[in-house]
Amino acid sequence: MKLQLSRLDSPLGELLLVTDTAGALHALDFADHRARLHRLLRQLHDDEVELSEGAAPQALADAIGRYFDGDLAAIEALPVATLGDALQQKVWAALRRIPAGRTTSYGELAKQLGLDDPRAAVDVGAANGSNPISIVVPCHRVIGKNGDLKGYAGGVFRKQRLLQHEGALPAVDAKPAGRVEKSATMLLPF
């Protein structure tokens, strides 16, 4: 399959976008995680991927720019081409239904998908972690049951910044009441 690899600047670092000729997004990751992007593309496309570099489709670049400028709904209607097994497809579709400014836990997501086994949260977490389309398929909106951010392929500091940007976590400059903990995350303004 012939796909196009594009680069796009963002407040959280350079993004790599992989699109098809129709403009559907097959992958979106951070440039410092290029190896992960290539690995997921090979896995999901059965090693049948031919990438050529080019400019990002304008509609996609505009939507992502608007998202980072505060129009959180700008990315909701972007076309995606997610390939994966049945559970991955269900999880990735469910991720797109989590509204900006909200989070859910791995266990809650499993229950929403009709998976009653308490261990299903682990499977949902694995599918979430193999999501090839960061930000647009918002895997960053899934957190631990206790509120911990848990992992994020792009780095937990980026997950925190995305959730702050969307209003699901207090902004970096907010002064919470009570105990204040020093953050070890990088402060990146939007």
Side-chain angles (χ1 to χ4, degrees), residues 36 40 87-88 91-92 106 120-131:
R36 177 184 182 276
L40 286 174
L87 179 62
Q88 290 171 328
V91 169
W92 299 338
Y106 297 95
V122 174
D123 296 332
V124 166
N128 193 56
S130 62
N131 169 28

Side-chain angles (χ1 to χ4, degrees), residues 34-167:
R34 181 183 184 105
R36 177 184 182 276
L37 177 135
H38 286 286
R39 179 180 46 80
L40 286 174
L41 281 174
R42 283 191 311 272
Q43 287 174 350
L44 296 171
H45 292 277
D46 296 324
D47 289 320
E48 302 284 331
V49 176
E50 182 182 325
L51 285 177
S52 61
E53 294 218 20
Q58 195 61 49
L60 184 57
D62 289 346
I64 291 172
R66 288 193 323 271
Y67 167 82
F68 281 113
D69 285 342
D71 179 4
L72 302 179
I75 60 173
E76 289 176 3
L78 287 174
V80 297
T82 51
L83 304 175
D85 63 34
L87 179 62
Q88 290 171 328
Q89 291 288 332
K90 287 172 87 171
V91 169
W92 299 338
L95 293 175
R96 291 202 84 185
R97 293 190 296 269
I98 304 169
R102 302 278 309 273
T103 60
T104 191
S105 72
Y106 297 95
E108 289 169 353
L109 191 56
K111 285 179 187 172
Q112 290 171 12
L113 294 172
L115 305 171
D116 295 326
D117 185 337
R119 296 168 293 185
V122 174
D123 296 332
V124 166
N128 193 56
S130 62
N131 169 28
I133 307 176
S134 296
I135 303 170
V136 175
V137 177
C139 52
H140 63 276
R141 295 179 187 157
V142 183
I143 62 174
K145 182 178 179 181
N146 64 358
D148 286 350
L149 295 185
K150 300 290 183 185
Y152 182 63
V156 174
F157 77 95
R158 285 185 176 124
K159 182 174 190 167
Q160 179 180 8
R161 293 295 292 153
L162 288 166
L163 292 173
Q164 288 169 332
H165 174 62
E166 295 177 351

Side-chain angles (χ1 to χ4, degrees), residues 1-4 18-22 26 48-52:
M1 172 177 265
K2 292 184 179 189
L3 299 172
Q4 178 175 294
V18 177
T19 54
D20 60 27
T21 56
H26 285 250
E48 302 284 331
V49 176
E50 182 182 325
L51 285 177
S52 61

